[in-house]
């Protein structure tokens, strides 16, 4: 990345990261009160007043400080021209990734902020206030957690490590192939986890906690920041067929420490069928 572009990315991430401690404290306080929980298009897809409050603050900050930038966010701040942003910076926001966890009092949720330019992810922050973790990456400059450099683990097989996954909201109609893939993981993986927050799945792969992660049904805001953080930590991130990941169009993702990528892709093959249903 050219130095001028990197400076612009770093400046944007530095400025928005500075407001995250305060925002995190507000969200932790809201979590203990009446969240006004609603469901969106699917019974299992929740929305709380904290989601909208978090998004409103992030969007207002970007609009005030980077007025020419484009914003794509989960809870309504959607840019119709997001995929055509070109040289303009595109912010891809998930105000609370893991809303179901958040609404049920669990600490496993995060504020996910991705930054794209010229159709490439160039920066990302995933902040988990309930766990005191803040992950960050700039393209070509590596990844950190709480300002400490991180990297993927060196597990040579699935049996040596933990594999993470997630389930789509419309999981009932896809249950058979999802369960077939899960059976493969039960037979081959050293451990299986389902956190319910894709951004943190990528980050836990990035800092060596997981050996691999797979999922279908993700939206751009679910994995824009996390996928960059994982790659900058040494992970291999592809779609289900092994091709380059397109955050706007890929049906599913496979991310690993690179050493077990082929093994996990093979075990996750039933997910291709699940994505087609």
């Amino acid at each position: 990345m050219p130095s001028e572009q990197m400076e612009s990315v770093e400046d944007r991430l530095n400025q928005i990261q500075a407001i995250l401690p305060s925002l995190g404290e507000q969200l932790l306080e809201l979590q203990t009160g009446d969240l006004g929980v609603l469901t969106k298009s699917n019974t299992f897809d929740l929305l709380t007043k904290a989601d909208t409050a978090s998004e409103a603050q992030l969007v207002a900050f970007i609009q005030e400080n980077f007025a020419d930038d484009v914003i794509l966010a989960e809870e309504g701040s959607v840019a119709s021209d997001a995929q055509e942003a070109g040289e303009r910076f595109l912010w891809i926001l998930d105000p609370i990734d893991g809303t179901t966890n958040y609404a049920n009092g669990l600490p496993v949720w995060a504020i996910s902020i991705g930054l794209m330019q010229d159709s490439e992810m160039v920066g990302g922050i995933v902040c988990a206030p309930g766990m005191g973790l803040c992950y960050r990456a700039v393209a070509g400059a590596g990844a950190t957690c709480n300002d400490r450099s991180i990297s993927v683990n060196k597990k040579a097989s699935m049996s040596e490590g933990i594999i993470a996954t997630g389930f789509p909201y419309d999981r009932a109609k896809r249950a058979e192939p999802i369960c077939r893939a899960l059976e493969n993981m039960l037979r081959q993986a050293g451990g299986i986890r389902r956190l319910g927050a894709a951004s943190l799945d990528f980050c836990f792969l990035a800092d060596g906690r997981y050996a691999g992660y797979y999922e279908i049904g993700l939206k751009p805001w679910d994995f824009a920041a996390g996928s960059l953080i994982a790659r900058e930590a040494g992970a291999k991130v592809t779609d289900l067929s092994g091709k380059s990941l397109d955050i706007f169009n890929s049906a599913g993702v496979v991310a690993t420490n690179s050493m077990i990528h082929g093994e996990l892709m093979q075990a996750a093959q039933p997910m291709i069928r699940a994505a087609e249903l």
Side-chain angles (χ1 to χ4, degrees), residues 131-195:
M131 294 187 287
L133 299 173
C134 189
Y135 293 88
R136 171 170 165 154
V138 172
T144 62
C145 177
N146 295 350
D147 298 321
R148 171 183 58 85
S149 294
I150 56 174
S151 63
V152 296
N153 66 40
K154 299 185 183 301
K155 307 291 185 182
S157 72
M158 285 173 52
S159 64
E160 297 178 19
I162 292 175
I163 303 300
T165 190
F167 307 130
Y169 292 118
D170 59 350
R171 55 189 177 267
K173 72 175 185 178
R174 308 171 193 261
E176 183 178 353
I178 287 174
C179 288
R180 285 174 54 207
L182 188 57
E183 180 181 2
N184 292 340
M185 305 304 159
L186 289 168
R187 295 180 185 279
Q188 297 174 240
I192 303 168
R193 299 292 182 268
R194 197 271 184 174
L195 288 185

